[in-house]
Amino acid sequence: MLTTHRITKWVNSGNGRIFLLRDINMSIAKGEFVSIMGPSGSGKSTLLNVLGMLDEFDEGEYIFMEQPVQKLKENQRSDLHKHNIGFIFQAYHLIDELTVAENIETPLLYQGMKQSERKAAVADILDRFNIVGKKDLFPSQLSGGQQQLVGIARALIAKPRLLLADEPTGNLNSKQGDEIMRVFTTLNQEEGMTIIQVTHSEKNAGYGHRIIKLLDGMIVK
């Protein structure tokens, strides 16, 4: 599904560079469930943002579904992301002015789905995550854990080919966290969804087929 070759990203600082990612070589096959681990500041979220085409990189190659991402125009990258990738953000990134149901519906609007189909899909996923009673509330009226569930529901509603999850259970209690990991496992095993998650949790990492470890922006294992 995706391959990176010597992906490198830096920021300029004074007379030098601070490397956020360095020589990242990785290959993720369709249907894999991969966990990325490493200490804070090791580049995990940066790598996820690059894979999700939310951040650009300075050197290297990134091939996603046979498309050379570094050669694509911005609107082409946006279309590739919009139709194939779901992203669960650590900081939720919900839209304050929209209700829970409207936030979850957003990816389907971008895809041009008919209203009746959108409403049915939203109702189904609200029920799946047991948040039907929150559908008319705004993000500011939700707890952190509830906002996280809404963010997860939004990422999954369009049934993306690739799910990128940045600490998906970080704000959930243990029961909710276990349930989300079971949802991921079902999506991966029964629907063939490719999943890449960033996590600090050894337990959650164990749900994946393999673990990629980062240190100082480089893959160490």
Side-chain angles (χ1 to χ4, degrees), residues 35-95:
S35 301
I36 298 176
M37 299 191 76
S40 296
S42 59
K44 303 184 301 297
S45 295
T46 301
L47 176 56
L48 213 63
N49 285 338
V50 166
L51 297 178
M53 300 175 224
L54 303 179
D55 272 359
E56 296 184 355
F57 49 93
D58 296 293
E59 289 180 354
E61 294 179 309
Y62 175 24
I63 308 298
F64 178 73
M65 295 183 64
E66 302 182 352
Q67 297 289 320
V69 173
Q70 67 281 355
K71 295 181 180 179
L72 299 178
K73 295 177 181 177
E74 186 175 345
N75 64 324
Q76 292 174 313
R77 286 198 306 272
S78 177
D79 280 346
L80 199 58
H81 171 109
K82 179 166 68 178
H83 289 100
N84 297 287
I85 297 175
F87 208 116
I88 298 170
F89 297 94
Q90 191 173 3
Y92 320 131
H93 286 235
L94 301 178
I95 301 170

Side-chain angles (χ1 to χ4, degrees), residues 10 39 68 95 120 125 136 151 175-176 178 199 218:
W10 65 74
I95 301 170
I125 207 156
D136 295 320
K175 182 180 178 182
Q176 290 173 321
D178 289 343
T199 181
M218 295 183 288

Side-chain angles (χ1 to χ4, degrees), residues 68-135:
V69 173
Q70 67 281 355
K71 295 181 180 179
L72 299 178
K73 295 177 181 177
E74 186 175 345
N75 64 324
Q76 292 174 313
R77 286 198 306 272
S78 177
D79 280 346
L80 199 58
H81 171 109
K82 179 166 68 178
H83 289 100
N84 297 287
I85 297 175
F87 208 116
I88 298 170
F89 297 94
Q90 191 173 3
Y92 320 131
H93 286 235
L94 301 178
I95 301 170
D96 293 338
E97 295 80 17
L98 299 183
T99 65
V100 164
E102 290 167 342
N103 265 284
I104 293 172
E105 185 183 22
T106 302
L108 304 181
L109 287 167
Y110 290 144
Q111 290 189 359
M113 183 182 286
K114 289 191 296 187
Q115 183 180 19
S116 59
E117 294 175 356
R118 292 199 312 267
K119 299 304 182 188
V122 170
D124 182 61
I125 207 156
L126 284 168
D127 184 57
R128 184 174 195 171
F129 286 98
N130 198 28
I131 49 177
V132 174
K134 311 292 183 186
K135 67 184 180 68

Side-chain angles (χ1 to χ4, degrees), residues 33-37 167-174 176-182 184-185 195 197-211:
F33 186 167
V34 176
S35 301
I36 298 176
M37 299 191 76
E167 297 286 357
T169 66
N171 294 287
L172 304 179
N173 61 43
S174 59
Q176 290 173 321
D178 289 343
E179 178 59 31
I180 292 303
M181 297 314 297
R182 284 194 291 270
F184 284 5
T185 300
I195 299 174
Q197 68 164 343
V198 161
T199 181
H200 280 102
S201 165
E202 293 277 358
K203 179 182 178 182
N204 288 355
Y207 282 90
H209 302 148
R210 60 187 170 109
I211 297 172

